[in-house]
Amino acid sequence: MKKLLIIVLLLPLFFMMNVPYSTAAGGTIERIDGANRFEVAVNISKKGWSTTGNTVVLANANAFADALSAAPLAYYKNAPILLTQKDQLTAITKQEMIRLSPSEVILVGGEGSISDQVISEIKSLGIHNVRRIAGSDRFEVSAAIAAELPASSKIVIADGTKFPDALAIAPYAARNGYPILLTLPNSLPSTIQNAVKARNAQSSIVVGGLASVSSQVASQLPAPQRIGGSDRYEVAANIIRQLNMKTDKVFLATGLSFADALTGSVLAAKQNAPILLTHSNYLPEATKKIIIEKSIINFTVLGGLASVPANVVNQTALSLLGLTIVVDAGHGGSDTGAVGNGLKEEDITLDVAKRLQSKLSAQGAKVIMTRTSDTYPTLTERVEMANSIGADVFVSIHINSSTSPSASGTETYWNRTYAAAESKELATYIQRELIDELGTKDRGVKEANFYVIKNSKMASVLTELAFISNSNDAKLLKTSTFREKAAQAIFQGISAYWKNQ
Ligand SMILES: [Zn+2]
């Protein structure tokens, strides 16, 4: 034993955690990496458990059934969850066992999950207190795990035939000392019925939609509160929403396999952080939506690049997170605005506004449009939309016109009544980007008393993209290329401004 310890201490650090890095959104991303699930589990353990003499919970690396309920027990015992093959420990797991030198190892599941051979292996490491929490099926195992937890006012019920819902709620359940009991989607197994009774909890959290836990099952539970969702990603997001979980930092794991989320859930619980799930090819809409809604900027990514690739992680780093912006397409409805050269101002402003909206939303801004079709909100209504929600930025888009056909170019206005410095700064950024992108004549940044920028209480500007009355400008205004460039320029101007706030 002693010899082994020395060898381990002398081993170089093969398993360095990736260095945390800062993102465009001003947050930090840290990855707990690993060549496979065994190594990820070990690196999670290293990150969260520096002292020896604790408990270790050991689960089968390839079968989630018995492991789904393990997180609350692991958290209660201040134990990392390590993974094993059915008949053999991997070398890296052995080394971690030696480092942790646990006072107790708990195997979750019967011999069908982890064989007695593994117990012998652990004992040969000099760790003698090894026991199982077993049962004839996953339901019995979850009931047996629950029986080891102290009394609680609440229980959690999740579908035992799939892993995502149980793992998404694991950090919350663990931290609050609520057991996770498993059920079949359409019937509550008698083992669990008994466990629920024995537990005598006053209320329950049902995780997953009706296809995961039917209303018939839910009706057999004390005061059930359902956290549903259209898919696993939305369920994980709704757990954060409905339970009002802290989102200073969020763990991100693949939703396609269970291992990393399982072993990471105990560390997440220790750090009081929820888990969000992602697809390996893209960041799911539901996940992105909650990131925007809660302005989540700090992530711990669980697993290697094959599970959660860098390009997926990068999609979380939205540069306009936290920005609420009102985009005002000038005129509309009964008010066509300026007309000339076969063009109507109201159409162009709406087109550019919609293009701008999609660019802003893609980077995580909350965008409120004063209009999305050919309607006319009054100027007071437009301003009220921004003031009532406490928007950060108001941008009004217009097209200029003059009785002199030679007048041409681009200008951007601000007003000093509210947020004078910010408004001028925003106008300056937007004007600079517009001139760069459009190559139009630079008419400059100007102050004016236009109603919408005078009465909006936040950084607010009104931009006049070009002259509808000038034949050259009008030719440009007709093209989607020009409109796209204009939207891009305004987007860049807002981004530059927001970065400096
Ligand atoms: Zn106008």
Side-chain angles (χ1 to χ4, degrees):
M1 179 68 189
K2 207 168 184 184
K3 205 171 177 186
L4 258 175
L5 266 173
I6 291 164
I7 292 166
V8 168
L9 289 172
L10 291 178
L11 274 173
L13 282 173
F14 286 124
F15 320 110
M16 292 299 290
M17 244 74 77
N18 284 25
V19 181
Y21 63 94
S22 304
T23 66
T28 304
I29 290 178
E30 147 189 70
R31 183 189 286 271
I32 304 182
D33 212 339
N36 52 50
R37 54 188 63 189
F38 302 100
E39 192 175 327
V40 172
V42 165
N43 284 336
I44 288 166
S45 170
K46 284 180 175 165
K47 178 99 189 153
W49 289 266
S50 56
T51 56
T52 59
N54 292 320
T55 299
V56 165
V57 170
L58 194 64
N60 183 307
N62 300 306
F64 64 80
D66 289 339
L68 279 186
S69 309
L73 176 67
Y75 180 79
Y76 172 61
K77 297 269 187 185
N78 191 19
I81 298 178
L82 296 179
L83 299 174
T84 182
Q85 298 170 81
K86 189 186 165 209
D87 296 313
Q88 199 185 5
L89 286 175
T90 55
I92 191 170
T93 307
K94 250 187 212 175
Q95 286 164 14
E96 182 62 0
M97 285 267 191
I98 294 165
R99 183 188 74 84
L100 289 165
S101 181
S103 57
E104 175 188 38
V105 176
I106 300 175
L107 278 54
V108 285
E111 279 199 68
S113 285
I114 305 174
S115 76
D116 283 342
Q117 244 171 285
V118 172
I119 295 183
S120 307
E121 260 190 292
I122 297 168
K123 288 187 171 169
S124 75
L125 299 174
I127 302 160
H128 296 291
N129 186 3
V130 187
R131 67 184 175 103
R132 281 182 194 282
I133 299 181
S136 63
D137 57 27
R138 62 192 67 187
F139 308 107
E140 264 190 49
V141 173
S142 79
I145 290 172
E148 299 228 1
L149 294 170
S152 60
S153 59
K154 228 175 239 200
I155 52 171
V156 172
I157 299 278
D159 181 358
T161 65
K162 290 182 307 189
F163 64 83
D165 297 345
L167 293 182
I169 192 110
Y172 177 85
R175 201 168 167 91
N176 289 286
Y178 305 152
I180 300 172
L181 292 165
L182 303 178
T183 183
L184 287 164
N186 293 309
S187 84
L188 191 64
S190 57
T191 325
I192 301 301
Q193 289 180 27
N194 294 335
V196 169
K197 270 185 213 131
R199 195 90 195 152
N200 199 24
Q202 285 92 59
S203 61
S204 47
I205 297 172
V206 173
V207 200
L210 292 169
S212 301
V213 182
S214 70
S215 47
Q216 196 269 334
V217 168
S219 71
Q220 298 173 65
L221 303 167
Q225 173 200 4
R226 184 184 291 276
I227 304 177
S230 61
D231 58 25
R232 59 192 64 187
Y233 308 109
E234 192 173 43
V235 171
N238 283 340
I239 286 169
I240 292 178
R241 275 189 197 102
Q242 283 180 236
L243 299 173
N244 203 17
M245 292 186 74
K246 279 183 64 175
T247 52
D248 304 350
K249 184 201 231 181
V250 171
F251 281 55
L252 186 67
T254 176
L256 303 179
S257 63
F258 76 98
D260 299 343
L262 170 69
T263 53
S265 65
V266 195
L267 184 61
K270 274 171 81 104
Q271 298 186 358
N272 200 9
I275 287 187
L276 282 176
L277 301 174
T278 183
H279 197 277
S280 296
N281 298 336
Y282 57 88
L283 191 69
E285 270 312 305
T287 307
K288 189 167 177 179
K289 205 172 156 203
I290 188 88
I291 290 171
I292 293 170
E293 197 179 308
K294 300 284 181 184
S295 297
I296 300 167
I297 55 171
N298 300 310
F299 291 90
T300 295
V301 179
L302 297 170
L305 291 169
S307 305
V308 187
N311 71 308
V312 171
V313 176
N314 289 342
Q315 290 170 45
T316 66
L318 304 164
S319 60
L320 298 182
L321 276 183
L323 170 68
T324 302
I325 178 166
V326 173
V327 174
D328 177 38
H331 311 281
S334 56
D335 173 15
T336 54
V339 178
N341 290 297
L343 294 167
K344 285 193 276 184
E345 181 181 359
E346 61 172 1
D347 299 335
I348 305 169
T349 58
L350 183 59
D351 187 13
V352 174
K354 284 181 173 172
R355 292 170 192 266
L356 176 60
Q357 175 191 27
S358 76
K359 290 175 197 295
L360 293 166
S361 301
Q363 278 307 317
K366 286 177 204 161
V367 186
I368 292 95
M369 303 285 282
T370 57
R371 66 184 182 98
T372 52
S373 60
D374 191 15
T375 56
Y376 182 77
T378 65
L379 298 184
T380 313
E381 283 166 350
R382 295 177 201 233
V383 165
E384 194 46 37
M385 284 183 205
N387 287 346
S388 64
I389 56 160
D392 303 294
V393 165
F394 180 99
V395 174
S396 189
I397 299 167
H398 286 258
I399 309 300
N400 226 332
S401 182
S402 170
T403 49
S404 159
S406 63
S408 70
T410 305
E411 58 198 22
T412 303
Y413 290 94
W414 63 284
N415 178 277
R416 70 181 61 211
T417 310
Y418 298 106
E422 289 82 2
S423 297
K424 190 177 182 184
E425 189 189 350
L426 178 62
T428 305
Y429 277 123
I430 290 177
Q431 177 68 10
R432 190 187 68 197
E433 294 294 334
L434 282 168
I435 297 306
D436 276 3
E437 284 282 334
L438 302 177
T440 44
K441 181 181 170 191
D442 186 359
R443 300 173 63 93
V445 170
K446 301 170 180 178
E447 199 182 348
N449 284 325
F450 297 127
Y451 185 91
V452 288
I453 54 173
K454 188 176 178 186
N455 294 287
S456 295
K457 293 182 176 168
M458 66 295 308
S460 50
V461 302
L462 184 150
T463 184
E464 300 271 7
L465 299 177
F467 279 72
I468 210 165
S469 47
N470 177 274
S471 60
N472 284 331
D473 275 10
K475 251 181 233 163
L476 294 171
L477 284 167
K478 266 185 196 134
T479 67
S480 58
T481 314
F482 182 90
R483 295 173 186 190
E484 185 64 20
K485 279 183 180 172
Q488 180 64 24
I490 299 169
F491 165 74
Q492 284 165 196
I494 293 164
S495 298
Y497 165 80
W498 189 239
K499 207 174 162 183
N500 279 350
Q501 297 311 299

